[in-house]
Amino acid sequence: MLDITKDIQSLTTFRRRSGEFLKQLKKSKRPIVLTVKGNAAAIVQDAEAYQRLLDVAAQADAEEGIRQGVEDVREGRVRPARELFDSLADHLQLALHGRDGFGIPRGTPPRPYPA
C-alpha cells in the first residue's frame, strides 16, 4: 500500500537524499512517486520489485495467449497443422531436392486459409 507521507516525493528531494531513498526502496519494496511541480512525473522502485512486476506481466501475457487459443478452438478459427505447413511450403516455394522444405513433392496447389 502506498504511504503518501513517504512514498510521494519531489524530484528535488529525491536528488538531494537519493541514498536514503534507495535504502527505503530496498527495505519497504514499495515504489516512490516522484513529482515535478506537484504532478507525478516518475516512479522509482528497487530492481527486485521491478523484476517481480515483469514476471507477473509475462505470466499474464502467457495466460492471455492460452485464453485466446482456447477461444479460437471454440469458435472454429483453427485448421490442421498439415494444411498450414502445406500452404506455407507452397507459398514460400522452398526447394530441397525437388521437394519443399517439409518433404512434400512440389506442385501441390496451396490450400487457402479459412476466413
Side-chain angles (χ1 to χ4, degrees), residues 29-98:
K29 303 294 185 202
R30 291 190 321 257
I32 296 174
V33 179
L34 300 180
T35 62
V36 175
K37 296 183 181 177
N39 295 315
I43 305 289
V44 180
Q45 74 183 131
D46 82 306
E48 187 178 311
Y50 182 69
Q51 184 62 55
R52 278 195 315 272
L53 182 65
L54 290 177
D55 293 345
V56 167
Q59 183 176 353
D61 282 347
E63 289 172 1
E64 176 59 15
I66 292 167
R67 188 199 64 72
Q68 288 178 8
V70 169
E71 182 181 317
D72 285 344
V73 170
R74 280 192 199 124
E75 298 294 323
R77 295 185 299 251
V78 296
R79 69 182 198 177
R82 176 79 296 171
E83 283 185 25
L84 172 67
F85 293 140
D86 289 348
S87 178
L88 283 173
D90 288 331
H91 179 72
L92 298 174
Q93 298 178 2
L94 297 173
L96 181 65
H97 305 292

Side-chain angles (χ1 to χ4, degrees), residues 10 21 26 31 34 81 91:
S10 72
F21 284 112
K26 191 112 178 117
L34 300 180
H91 179 72

